[in-house]
């Protein structure tokens, strides 16, 4: 009987051990999916589990941060962790002040029954908690109770600190207005990625968004415009004076204070931008006396170029106004930086303004460029007298830089190089890597954007320290930031789409050590972040999953070599060549393949046998001129060479992204080409593919004419299409098709007539991607 009882006890112990083994979470290095990547992170044996009995041990300065963490946890766990300054024997998370650490650095040690966070100040503690959150299950990011979740994290040792002190995101709320609820959500998401600067673009031509009590018309008049949201941004006409203005909004000073406090609690500084001397039509509409001409204008509903309704620096009243405005602004924003814009000022009116000319004479200035320098230097003196630092776009370099100014380099990196060489601090934000209003995927599959092309992988390549900087210049690089201009961002959903996941790549570019950056590693970790974004309900872009198809003509074989890829290395790509829908039985892509006839290609990325992201659908029309010899009367422009000698007949069509490598272009000149079909060929249709993107100076041809010939000397016209210029704010692709009675010919000539001169006076571009012969 005794032996039987012992056997029962033994079996029970084995079963208990088995149950414990089933619930015990085993972590691997792959589970350390933290973005941005910490400086050092080591996985050790064991785990820590948060429960309702876990204590958060913090003294007065850290208790607000600890309390916020407890409240976030309570939403999903159902239990509330007590915040106390008493240290229990076990099951606690302790905040420890360590003045030897860097300003925003932290260490994190998780070992079984305790977690120790050490930091110098609030930001370090906030960032340590963000690392813990990313080690928790993705369900932590939700806002509703999660049943049956074990809130377990691995035992780790982390030592971390940012590479740069300025890690920013600029939100433009002038072109399209977003409420404070969205601003706060964005702040939360910035904190998640250890970003520390929200650059708030509060003023521009299309709207003044901050209440200034001394000048109420700035928001009463300047905060609203005539609603033309049904029209393309760059085709919205000037509204007649007195037209009811209903689109817009602004933030009250109380709302501003609320947002600033919310950001501060999450380790984020809010830097206000109050534009000057240009991008201020909204202010001029409210107070015409601020301009040179003093004409009454309406707040523009769309694009403005050139920007001539700007502040008059010849009048003392202008500076009185600006000092009054900035006095109220500085009372709301504790940030030591005040952004004054300073970009894209067309100084036409300054050249003829009596006040401006008098100022030029009295200050012994040489030009209107020096007058802008005088303007910025004067504002810098006022800002510095209030113990703040003026920061502006790199145009503030023109005419001489104010002594204490910091430069934000956006027109490439030249401004940053120049300013840092002169001993000024710089924030690097070149459009090539930091403008999130640019497309991030195939333009034909993406929502309307400003233009350009900035995929996730290119953001990841960004480095604020650029080639040519000396060690002394590198010390003046504060960091970098992403910019989301909102001309084409009408909704918060689209704003999210443009920001995420690219902000994750930016965060690692400005936080993690340069030598630790690895795109393959990041591409694995960012997929874990996608799961969190799903829980958070973020409308993030899946553009990095998009498949692109590149072709190369093999003239010897008379076929096309097709290469499929996306941004993620080693992706499981499946495809079909008959237009059929994709599933797990579709062809697995392993190497480039050849086609020699017209083909409907579909391709997409799969993971765990599930289709991810959009499906590429391309019809490759392997027409009769494919790969044939093309002769040019006027060579295409060196900046847009397409596939060069076979660019007109490589059968792969261009997208709306005119830098995609498929377009050939002519600036101000006509296109005239001859295609040698090699033998007499029956031809009955000739099509010319063209693009129009008037905002970028690209226009459809005004005439397309096709000719055929047997000997290459005597040509017969087989048809022409004429098209008068029409204003068009959209990017559009169009095939100009000419059909005619079939005949046998060896040579095809096509002439496309360039518009010649753009409506704004500049040269016009003619873009052509393919001449299809059928």
């Amino acid at each position: 009987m005794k032996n039987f009882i012992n056997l029962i006890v033994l079996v029970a112990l084995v079963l208990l051990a088995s149950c414990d083994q089933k619930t015990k979470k085993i972590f691997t290095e792959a589970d350390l999916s933290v973005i941005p990547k910490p400086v050092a992170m080591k996985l050790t044996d064991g785990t820590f589990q948060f429960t309702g009995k876990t204590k958060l041990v913090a003294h007065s300065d850290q208790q607000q941060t600890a309390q916020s963490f407890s409240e976030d946890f309570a939403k999903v766990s159902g239990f509330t962790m007590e915040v106390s300054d008493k240290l229990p024997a076990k099951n606690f998370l302790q905040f420890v002040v360590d003045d030897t650490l860097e300003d925003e650095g932290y260490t994190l040690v998780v070992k079984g029954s305790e977690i120790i966070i050490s930091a110098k100040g609030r930001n370090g503690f906030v960032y340590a908690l963000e690392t813990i959150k990313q080690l928790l299950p993705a369900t932590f990011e939700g806002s509703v109770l999660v049943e049956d979740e074990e809130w377990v994290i691995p035992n780790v040792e982390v030592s971390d600190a940012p590479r740069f002190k300025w890690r920013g995101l600029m939100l433009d709320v002038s072109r399209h207005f977003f409420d404070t609820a969205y601003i706060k959500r964005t702040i939360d998401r910035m904190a998640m990625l250890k970003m520390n600067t929200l650059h708030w673009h509060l003023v521009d031509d299309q709207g003044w968004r901050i209440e200034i009590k001394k000048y109420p018309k700035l928001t009463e008049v300047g905060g609203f415009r005539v609603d033309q949201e049904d029209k393309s941004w760059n085709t919205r006409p000037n509204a007649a004076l007195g037209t009811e203005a209903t689109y817009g909004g602004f933030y009250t000073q109380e709302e501003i204070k609320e947002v600033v406090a919310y950001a501060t609690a999450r380790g984020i500084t809010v830097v206000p931008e109050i534009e000057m001397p240009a991008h201020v039509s909204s202010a001029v509409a409210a107070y015409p006396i601020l301009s040179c001409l003093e004409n009454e204008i309406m707040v523009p509903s769309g694009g403005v170029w050139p920007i001539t309704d700007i502040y008059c620096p010849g009048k003392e009243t202008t500076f009185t106004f600006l000092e009054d405005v900035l006095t109220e602004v500085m009372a709301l924003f504790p940030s030591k930086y005040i952004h004054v814009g300073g970009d894209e000022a067309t100084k036409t009116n300054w050249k003829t303004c009596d006040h401006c000319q008098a100022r030029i004479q009295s200050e012994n200035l040489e030009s209107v460029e020096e007058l802008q320098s005088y303007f910025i230097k004067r504002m810098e003196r006022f800002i510095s007298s209030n113990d703040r630092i003026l920061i502006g776009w790199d145009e503030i370099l023109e005419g001489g830089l104010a002594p204490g100014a910091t430069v934000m380099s956006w027109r490439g990196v030249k401004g940053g190089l120049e300013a840092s060489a002169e001993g000024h601090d710089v924030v690097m934000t070149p459009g090539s890597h930091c403008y999130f209003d640019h497309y991030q995927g195939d333009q034909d599959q993406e929502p309307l954007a400003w233009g350009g092309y900035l995929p996730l992988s290119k953001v990841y390549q960004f480095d604020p320290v650029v080639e040519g900087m000396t060690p002394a210049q590198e010390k003046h690089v504060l960091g970098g930031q992403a910019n989301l201009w909102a001309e084409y961002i009408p909704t918060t959903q689209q704003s999210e789409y443009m920001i995420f996941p690219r902000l994750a790549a930016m965060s690692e570019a400005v936080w993690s050590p340069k030598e630790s950056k690895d795109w393959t590693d990041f591409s694995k970790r960012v997929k874990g972040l996608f799961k969190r974004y799903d829980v958070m309900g973020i409308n993030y872009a899946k553009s990095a999953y998009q498949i692109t198809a590149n072709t190369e003509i093999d003239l010897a074989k008379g076929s096309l070599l097709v290469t499929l890829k996306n941004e993620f290395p080693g992706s499981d790509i499946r495809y079909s060549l008959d237009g059929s829908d994709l599933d797990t039985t579709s062809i697995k892509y392993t190497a480039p393949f050849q086609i020699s006839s017209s083909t409907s290609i579909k391709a997409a990325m799969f993971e765990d046998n599930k289709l991810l992201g959009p499906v590429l659908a391309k019809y490759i029309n392997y027409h009769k001129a494919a790969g044939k010899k093309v002769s040019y009367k006027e060579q295409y422009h060196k900046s847009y060479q397409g596939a060069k000698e076979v660019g007109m007949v490589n059968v792969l069509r261009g997208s709306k992204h005119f830098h995609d490598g498929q377009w050939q272009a002519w600036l101000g000149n006509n296109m005239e080409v001859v295609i040698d079909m090699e033998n007499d060929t029956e031809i009955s249709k000739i099509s010319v593919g063209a693009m129009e993107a008037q905002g970028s100076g690209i226009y459809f041809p005004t005439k397309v004419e096709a000719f055929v010939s047997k000997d290459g000397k005597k040509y017969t016209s087989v048809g022409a299409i004429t098209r008068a210029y029409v204003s068009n704010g959209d990017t559009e692709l169009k095939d100009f098709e000419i059909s005619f009675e079939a005949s046998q010919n060896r040579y095809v000539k096509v002439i496309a007539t360039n518009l010649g001169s753009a409506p704004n006076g500049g040269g016009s571009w003619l873009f052509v991607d393919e001449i299809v012969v059928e």
Side-chain angles (χ1 to χ4, degrees):
M1 184 70 179
K2 183 177 180 181
N3 289 337
F4 179 71
I5 293 172
N6 289 338
L7 179 63
I8 292 174
V9 171
L10 180 62
V11 170
L13 289 172
V14 169
L15 289 172
L16 284 171
S18 175
C19 289
D20 184 62
Q21 185 66 31
K22 287 179 182 178
T23 59
K24 185 178 180 181
K25 170 77 173 175
I26 305 299
F27 288 91
T28 67
E29 293 288 342
D31 295 308
L32 305 185
S33 184
V34 177
I35 295 175
K37 188 175 185 178
V39 173
M41 189 171 193
K42 179 184 177 183
L43 179 67
T44 60
D45 291 338
T47 61
F48 178 95
Q49 182 168 3
F50 288 94
T51 69
K53 296 181 180 180
T54 303
K55 297 289 191 298
L56 305 181
V57 183
H59 294 284
S60 56
D61 290 345
Q62 293 81 47
Q63 285 197 348
Q64 181 187 3
T65 302
Q67 187 62 42
S68 294
F69 181 65
S70 178
E71 290 170 1
D72 289 343
F73 226 126
K75 293 176 185 176
V76 292
S77 68
F79 58 74
T80 300
M81 295 180 290
E82 179 187 349
V83 178
S84 169
D85 58 2
K86 303 291 190 298
L87 185 67
K90 61 180 181 178
N91 195 11
F92 63 86
L93 185 160
Q94 183 182 15
F95 294 72
V96 177
V97 176
D98 185 345
D99 291 329
T100 66
L101 294 174
E102 296 181 38
D103 284 344
E104 295 185 288
Y106 68 92
T107 62
L108 167 64
V109 178
V110 182
K111 49 180 181 181
S113 64
E114 64 185 52
I115 300 175
I116 308 295
I117 296 173
S118 299
K120 187 175 183 178
R122 178 183 53 218
N123 282 24
F125 290 116
V126 168
Y127 301 149
L129 291 174
E130 292 300 337
T131 295
I132 289 173
K133 291 175 184 178
Q134 289 195 43
L135 293 173
L136 283 162
T139 50
F140 176 84
E141 310 297 346
S143 57
V144 297
L145 183 65
V146 180
E147 302 286 353
D148 301 323
E149 183 71 85
E150 291 189 335
W151 304 105
V152 178
I153 64 172
N155 283 357
V156 291
E157 296 175 2
V158 181
S159 178
D160 203 10
R163 182 181 173 203
F164 295 102
K165 64 176 68 174
W166 186 299
R167 306 179 302 281
L169 169 66
M170 188 280 294
L171 279 184
D172 169 12
V173 294
S174 173
R175 275 54 177 266
H176 284 96
F177 179 70
F178 304 124
D179 63 20
T180 57
Y182 178 68
I183 304 301
K184 288 178 181 178
R185 290 201 301 274
T186 303
I187 287 169
D188 286 335
R189 295 156 184 180
M190 290 175 64
M192 180 182 188
L193 297 168
K194 303 182 176 73
M195 303 295 278
N196 70 349
T197 305
L198 173 62
H199 171 176
W200 209 357
H201 187 79
L202 292 162
V203 172
D204 216 299
D205 292 303
Q206 294 80 11
W208 185 287
R209 305 298 181 207
I210 175 172
E211 178 190 21
I212 302 298
K213 293 186 182 297
K214 193 167 184 177
Y215 299 97
K217 287 185 179 180
L218 287 172
T219 47
E220 291 172 1
V221 175
F224 296 87
R225 63 184 187 238
V226 175
D227 190 340
Q228 298 187 45
E229 293 299 299
D230 59 330
K231 300 180 179 64
S232 177
W233 182 260
N234 285 319
T235 61
R236 297 177 184 180
N238 293 330
L241 288 173
T243 307
E244 184 181 11
T246 57
Y247 179 88
F250 64 92
Y251 308 106
T252 66
Q253 292 198 359
E254 289 306 310
E255 287 176 320
I256 295 281
K257 291 176 185 176
E258 185 181 316
V259 168
V260 168
Y262 191 88
T264 301
R266 288 153 181 78
I268 292 173
T269 299
V270 184
V271 176
E273 182 178 359
I274 309 298
E275 279 273 16
M276 59 184 80
H279 287 283
V280 293
S281 298
S282 55
V284 172
Y287 297 99
I289 195 172
L290 295 171
S291 67
C292 293
L293 300 180
E294 301 184 11
N295 291 332
E296 291 188 22
I297 64 170
M298 294 288 288
V299 176
S301 296
V304 178
W305 194 261
I307 303 170
T308 56
D309 287 312
I310 67 178
Y311 291 141
C312 175
K315 300 174 184 175
E316 280 302 306
T317 50
T318 298
F319 292 101
T320 300
F321 165 80
L322 289 171
E323 290 177 7
D324 289 341
V325 167
L326 290 182
T327 297
E328 292 195 34
V329 168
M330 288 185 287
L332 298 170
F333 294 90
S335 163
K336 71 176 181 178
Y337 291 97
I338 302 296
H339 204 301
V340 299
D343 60 314
E344 299 182 330
T346 302
K347 308 169 187 71
T348 304
N349 294 339
W350 290 4
K351 294 177 181 178
T352 57
C353 171
D354 291 341
H355 298 289
C356 290
Q357 291 305 307
R359 180 78 74 186
I360 288 173
Q361 289 185 358
S362 66
E363 297 294 333
N364 296 314
L365 306 176
E366 296 292 331
S367 63
V368 290
E369 284 69 35
E370 288 193 9
L371 182 57
Q372 175 160 348
S373 178
Y374 164 84
F375 187 113
I376 296 298
K377 287 177 179 176
R378 182 163 171 176
M379 296 313 303
E380 191 276 333
R381 288 195 298 272
F382 174 74
I383 290 171
S384 63
S385 72
N386 285 273
D387 296 322
R388 306 298 181 94
I389 297 173
L390 178 147
I391 185 170
W393 303 108
D394 54 44
E395 284 94 333
I396 67 174
L397 284 158
E398 296 169 5
L401 187 57
T406 295
V407 172
M408 193 166 271
S409 186
W410 73 279
R411 295 178 299 176
V413 299
K414 182 181 177 183
L417 281 166
E418 183 180 334
S420 60
E422 295 178 11
H424 291 267
D425 287 343
V426 298
V427 176
M428 304 300 286
T429 180
S432 58
H433 291 77
C434 302
Y435 269 43
F436 283 14
D437 54 333
H438 290 182
Y439 287 98
Q440 56 194 309
D442 183 344
Q443 193 163 334
D444 296 340
Q445 300 184 53
E446 294 287 315
L448 183 64
W450 179 261
Y453 180 56
L454 181 56
L456 182 66
S457 56
K458 189 172 182 180
V459 177
Y460 192 76
Q461 294 167 9
F462 174 57
D463 189 340
V465 173
V466 299
E467 185 178 353
M469 283 184 171
T470 65
Q473 285 177 280
E474 290 181 17
K475 293 178 181 178
H476 285 290
V477 179
L478 299 179
Q481 75 173 31
N483 301 312
L484 182 59
W485 301 104
E487 289 93 338
Y488 295 95
I489 314 294
T491 66
T492 58
Q493 284 287 96
Q494 193 164 339
S495 180
E496 289 178 350
Y497 185 90
M498 302 303 277
I499 294 173
F500 304 103
R502 288 187 289 187
L503 194 65
M506 177 61 68
S507 75
E508 193 147 308
V510 293
W511 177 283
S512 304
K514 182 177 181 179
E515 58 272 14
S516 74
K517 288 175 62 179
D518 182 292
W519 168 248
T520 300
D521 176 53
F522 175 82
S523 66
K524 294 175 182 175
R525 285 181 287 119
V526 80
K527 292 175 187 176
L529 193 62
F530 290 168
K531 295 177 182 177
R532 295 181 181 274
Y533 287 168
D534 287 333
V535 174
M536 296 166 76
I538 295 176
N539 182 40
Y540 65 95
K542 301 177 180 65
S543 311
Y545 290 134
Q546 285 181 7
I547 309 301
T548 59
N550 296 323
T551 64
E552 183 179 342
I553 285 190
D554 187 332
L555 296 176
K557 294 182 179 179
S559 63
L560 277 176
L561 188 68
V562 180
T563 302
L564 302 177
K565 64 177 182 178
N566 69 4
E567 292 194 71
F568 294 131
S571 292
D572 179 6
I573 298 174
R574 309 291 177 94
Y575 68 97
S576 66
L577 299 177
D578 57 3
S580 59
D581 291 337
L582 302 174
D583 56 31
T584 54
T585 66
S586 299
I587 307 168
K588 184 180 179 67
Y589 178 80
T590 57
F593 54 87
Q594 291 186 330
I595 62 172
S596 56
S597 61
S598 295
T599 304
S600 292
I601 299 177
K602 284 189 176 180
M605 175 178 168
F606 281 71
E607 192 167 270
D608 298 329
N609 288 323
K610 293 181 180 179
L611 189 150
L612 293 179
V615 174
L616 169 75
K618 285 278 186 183
Y619 177 70
I620 295 182
N621 184 357
Y622 202 90
H623 56 91
K624 294 181 178 181
K628 304 302 183 184
K629 181 180 178 181
V630 182
S631 301
Y632 297 82
K633 181 178 180 180
E634 183 79 33
Q635 194 75 359
Y636 39 78
H637 195 278
K638 63 181 181 180
S639 298
Y640 302 99
Q641 302 183 61
K644 297 185 178 179
E645 65 273 7
V646 293
M648 286 294 154
V649 289
N650 73 335
V651 311
L652 191 64
R653 305 303 300 271
S655 69
K656 291 180 180 179
H657 171 48
F658 57 84
H659 288 290
D660 66 5
Q662 297 301 325
W663 294 94
Q664 294 184 339
W666 290 260
L667 179 58
N669 298 317
N670 299 335
M671 179 202 77
E672 183 172 334
V673 301
V674 173
I675 303 171
D676 183 354
M677 304 294 290
E678 299 176 355
N679 299 293
D680 279 352
T681 304
E682 184 177 280
I683 302 169
S684 60
K685 183 179 178 181
I686 298 170
S687 303
V688 178
M691 173 192 287
E692 184 159 76
Q694 293 183 6
S696 299
I698 303 170
Y699 298 84
F700 280 142
T702 57
K703 182 179 180 180
V704 174
E705 188 167 10
F707 306 81
V708 294
S709 172
K710 290 184 175 296
D711 58 9
K713 297 177 182 179
K714 183 179 179 181
Y715 284 89
T716 302
S717 174
V718 290
I721 298 173
T722 58
R723 183 184 186 279
Y725 162 77
V726 177
S727 178
N728 181 8
D730 297 326
T731 297
E732 185 178 345
L733 306 181
K734 179 178 176 65
D735 285 339
F736 291 80
E737 299 179 353
I738 299 174
S739 299
F740 49 94
E741 186 175 342
S743 61
Q744 295 281 332
N745 289 281
R746 175 172 173 172
Y747 297 93
V748 172
K749 178 192 289 187
V750 176
I751 300 174
T753 305
N754 196 314
L755 180 64
S757 178
N760 64 8
S764 63
W765 285 96
L766 171 64
F767 271 67
V768 178
D769 68 336
E770 187 83 3
I771 297 175
V772 178
V773 179
E774 298 174 290

